[in-house]
């Protein structure tokens, strides 16, 4: 199923959380927190301004982003969990 977000919404797939600490201690899945970063899969056409114009989004498909732990709405698409966020929920782009 193809999914296309509307306006200033983006679709993000969370990246896998670290499974061990720097010292090598393995963290079980039940004890780990959900990651607060992910890869942008799709973006909407832009934010609708009061003037009726669409302002293009600063993020694009393929970008890695940082977002709040409780931001967005989780949905399932083809059996995979993804997040639907507004552009304003993105804290930063991860470069490198």
């Amino acid at each position: 199923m193809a999914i296309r977000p509307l306006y200033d919404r983006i679709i993000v797939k969370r990246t896998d959380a670290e499974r061990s600490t720097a010292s090598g201690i393995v963290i079980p899945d039940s004890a780990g927190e959900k990651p607060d970063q992910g890869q942008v899969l799709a973006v909407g056409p832009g934010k609708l301004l009061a003037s009726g114009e669409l302002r293009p989004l600063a993020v694009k498909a393929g970008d890695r982003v940082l977002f709040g732990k409780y931001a967005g709405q989780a949905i399932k698409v083809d059996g995979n969990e993804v997040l639907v966020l507004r552009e304003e929920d993105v804290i930063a782009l991860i470069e490198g």
Side-chain angles (χ1 to χ4, degrees), residues 20-77:
S20 62
T21 63
S23 61
I25 298 172
V26 176
I27 302 170
D29 289 338
S30 61
E33 293 183 5
K34 288 186 177 180
D36 53 359
Q37 58 181 292
Q39 182 171 8
V40 177
L41 301 177
V43 298
K47 182 169 179 76
L48 185 61
L49 303 175
S51 65
E53 293 181 58
L54 280 178
R55 180 187 51 83
L57 301 182
V59 297
K60 60 185 181 308
D63 284 348
R64 289 181 45 214
V65 294
L66 185 66
F67 49 86
K69 288 197 182 292
Y70 304 107
Q73 176 68 41
I75 61 169
K76 288 224 178 205
V77 177

Side-chain angles (χ1 to χ4, degrees), residues 72-86:
Q73 176 68 41
I75 61 169
K76 288 224 178 205
V77 177
D78 294 334
N80 298 316
E81 185 175 290
V82 295
L83 285 175
V84 179
L85 304 170
R86 288 192 178 271

